[in-house]
Amino acid sequence: MTTDEWRSTTRSSAQIINRNEVEVTAPDGEVFKVLCQVGALLSKETQDHELLWLEILFDKHFSEDKEQMRNAIWREAMQFGICGGIMGISAGTKCNDRARIGARIKQIREERGIEARDLARLSGVDPGNLSRIENGKYSVGLDILSKIASTLGKKVDLVDID
């Protein structure tokens, strides 16, 4: 099968944005930016081949859990040297980190037996905003997130992806 024939079987689509960035549209329409060197390759044939591999990876590991999906794509790309190694993958256009973090705040608050209104008061956050944060409906800045975390005896940190 040729690259074009293979590409017609994939549900994802990938295109070069610039020498260091590729945009991949997953089967559900969510768009991801992938930092890699595909655009720097001189041969159009090699570029097409690498784009096809990205599409195959996005199809193979497609999941509603985008964090898990990105991690699986990242691991396999690194394992097999696809795109010369991916340097980064964006969270996507439908990022669910807001909901995950909000749910975690609520979980910690409930484990500690703290009422939402008390957490809001102690952390200096409007109670309505805290509710929206816990329900993943409100994008929160680092300062507010740090205040909430500190009030719960936690800190905000960057951790390795499993």
Side-chain angles (χ1 to χ4, degrees):
M1 247 187 192
T2 68
T3 300
D4 287 337
E5 290 170 332
W6 271 105
R7 183 167 268 154
S8 69
T9 67
T10 61
R11 297 173 301 148
S12 298
S13 64
Q15 65 178 2
I16 296 171
I17 302 302
N18 60 47
R19 65 182 286 114
N20 298 318
E21 191 175 335
V22 172
E23 185 176 88
V24 182
T25 304
D28 65 353
E30 186 162 4
V31 179
F32 295 85
K33 304 277 188 201
V34 179
L35 192 60
C36 59
Q37 299 292 312
V38 174
L41 300 172
L42 297 178
S43 162
K44 173 87 168 101
E45 183 179 347
T46 304
Q47 287 176 343
D48 287 344
H49 182 75
E50 293 292 302
L51 290 174
L52 174 62
W53 272 111
L54 272 176
E55 292 170 356
I56 290 169
L57 284 179
F58 270 79
D59 281 2
K60 177 180 179 183
H61 297 292
F62 177 72
S63 168
E64 291 302 316
D65 183 339
K66 300 304 189 229
E67 184 174 351
Q68 180 183 1
M69 181 181 94
R70 288 189 332 263
N71 292 344
I73 291 167
W74 190 299
R75 277 192 299 275
E76 191 165 337
M78 296 304 285
Q79 181 181 3
F80 295 106
I82 296 168
C83 299
I86 292 174
M87 296 174 282
I89 304 174
S90 74
T93 52
K94 300 176 185 174
C95 180
N96 66 354
D97 284 344
R98 193 170 36 216
R100 182 181 53 79
I101 291 169
R104 181 71 175 126
I105 290 169
K106 183 175 184 176
Q107 176 190 9
I108 295 167
R109 176 181 63 74
E110 289 176 344
E111 286 172 356
R112 305 244 168 122
I114 302 171
E115 294 292 326
R117 68 176 178 275
D118 294 329
L119 176 58
R121 184 177 42 77
L122 290 171
S123 59
V125 175
D126 178 80
N129 286 344
L130 179 61
S131 175
R132 286 186 283 279
I133 292 166
E134 286 186 348
N135 290 303
K137 307 286 186 202
Y138 185 74
S139 181
V140 60
L142 183 58
D143 292 340
I144 292 173
L145 186 58
S146 293
K147 286 179 185 180
I148 294 169
S150 179
T151 302
L152 293 170
K154 302 287 185 180
K155 67 179 183 176
V156 177
D157 197 0
L158 299 173
V159 296
D160 290 334
I161 296 174
D162 296 330

